[in-house]
């Protein structure tokens, strides 16, 4: 089924609760009426919001959307590594926020085409965003880890890619304990006009 979240929708999910969508997702809020998914208890992360369509290349559109305080999960034998995970879709993300994930990734996208712009990835333990075997553009986003107070031996990356062909332009990467951009195997990024502040490494090629 196609799932549509209308402006102003707010979902508060209890600890370890996950949502699995097997078709397209359209979640378009407005600047004054965002769509928000968050944990019911800030100390207890929910599981994951996962889009795993049966028909490949289904559309996922997120605009003025925020997800905050999730984790990761195994659902029907599939591991979803981000508080939001998208597999095999056409993904458009604009003016959205991915915040305070307790999982491997603030958002993980696999085997998809992507257009991600004007969005914020903040305080996600692990990677702000992880793109695996994707193609597309990543433009004018802010990736920031604000503070490591109370955290020990946490290695954070801003953008982690593998098997991905992508244009990375005019983004800000700030205060990551490991890498601003981590370029993994079989990747072909074009990295231009980005700003790197106070990261252990700006860019690493593996």
């Amino acid at each position: 089924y196609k799932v549509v979240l209308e402006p102003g929708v707010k979902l508060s999910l209890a600890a370890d609760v996950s949502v699995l969508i097997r078709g397209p997702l359209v979640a378009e809020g407005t600047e004054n009426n965002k769509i928000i998914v968050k944990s019911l208890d800030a100390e207890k992360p929910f599981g994951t919001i996962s889009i795993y369509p049966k028909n490949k290349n289904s559309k996922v559109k997120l605009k003025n959307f925020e997800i905050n305080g999730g984790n990761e999960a195994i659902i029907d034998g599939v591991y979803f590594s981000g508080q939001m995970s998208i597999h095999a879709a056409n993904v458009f993300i604009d003016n959205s926020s991915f915040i305070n994930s307790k999982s491997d990734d603030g958002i993980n996208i696999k085997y998809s085409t992507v257009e991600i712009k004007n969005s914020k990835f903040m305080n996600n333990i692990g990677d702000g965003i992880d793109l695996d075997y994707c193609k597309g553009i990543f433009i004018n986003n802010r990736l920031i880890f604000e503070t490591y107070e109370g955290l020990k031996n946490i290695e954070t990356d801003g953008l982690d890619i593998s098997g991905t062909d992508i244009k990375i332009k005019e983004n800000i990467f700030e205060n990551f304990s490991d890498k601003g951009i981590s370029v993994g195997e079989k990747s072909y990024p074009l990295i231009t006009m980005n700003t790197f502040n106070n990261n252990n490494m700006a860019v690493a090629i593996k």
Side-chain angles (χ1 to χ4, degrees):
Y1 292 94
K2 179 180 181 180
V3 175
V4 178
L5 302 180
E6 296 185 345
V9 165
K10 293 179 173 60
L11 299 177
S12 297
L13 301 179
D16 300 323
V17 170
S18 295
V19 176
L20 176 63
I21 297 170
R22 298 303 309 268
L25 169 65
V26 177
E28 289 189 86
T30 66
E31 286 190 18
N32 298 321
N33 213 9
K34 292 183 177 182
I35 296 167
I36 298 175
V37 179
K38 64 182 182 66
S39 53
L40 185 64
D41 182 338
E43 302 299 320
K44 297 178 180 178
F46 63 88
T48 178
I49 302 290
S50 295
I51 298 91
Y52 189 38
K54 289 189 174 183
N55 297 320
K56 291 184 178 180
N57 301 318
S58 290
K59 182 171 75 171
V60 175
K61 186 172 186 180
L62 308 177
K63 189 170 184 179
N64 294 302
F65 172 90
E66 178 180 307
I67 186 167
N68 186 337
N71 205 330
E72 55 192 47
I74 297 174
I75 306 173
D76 291 344
V78 179
Y79 172 53
F80 298 102
S81 64
Q83 66 173 347
M84 188 164 209
S85 295
I86 303 170
H87 292 197
N90 292 322
V91 181
F92 175 84
I93 299 173
D94 186 19
N95 280 305
S96 295
S97 299
F98 304 84
I99 304 171
N100 297 323
S101 171
K102 304 301 187 290
S103 57
D104 232 19
D105 310 310
I107 178 172
N108 176 264
I109 305 175
K110 298 182 187 296
Y111 306 107
S112 299
T113 60
V114 299
E115 181 180 345
I116 302 168
K117 60 185 183 180
N118 309 318
S119 293
K120 180 169 66 174
F121 305 82
M122 182 175 289
N123 297 337
N124 297 296
I125 292 176
D127 302 329
I129 176 170
D130 193 333
L131 302 176
D132 298 316
Y133 300 96
C134 293
K135 184 174 184 178
I137 59 175
F138 188 80
I139 296 179
N140 195 37
N141 301 288
R142 297 178 65 222
L143 300 92
I144 299 171
F145 207 101
E146 290 180 306
T147 178
Y148 292 90
E149 185 176 349
L151 300 174
K152 294 183 178 180
N153 302 318
I154 296 294
E155 290 192 351
T156 58
D157 293 338
L159 170 62
D160 192 327
I161 64 173
S162 60
T164 290
D165 182 352
I166 192 163
K167 179 188 288 185
I168 303 168
K169 183 178 180 182
E170 296 177 347
N171 304 284
I172 297 172
F173 300 87
E174 187 170 301
N175 203 30
F176 289 100
S177 64
D178 198 2
K179 301 173 285 290
I181 300 175
S182 178
V183 180
E185 68 283 357
K186 298 181 181 178
S187 293
Y188 299 91
L190 175 62
I191 303 172
T192 61
M193 300 172 66
N194 296 279
T195 301
F196 299 89
N197 296 320
N198 197 39
N199 305 287
N200 179 48
M201 287 179 279
V203 181
I205 312 297
K206 295 186 288 184

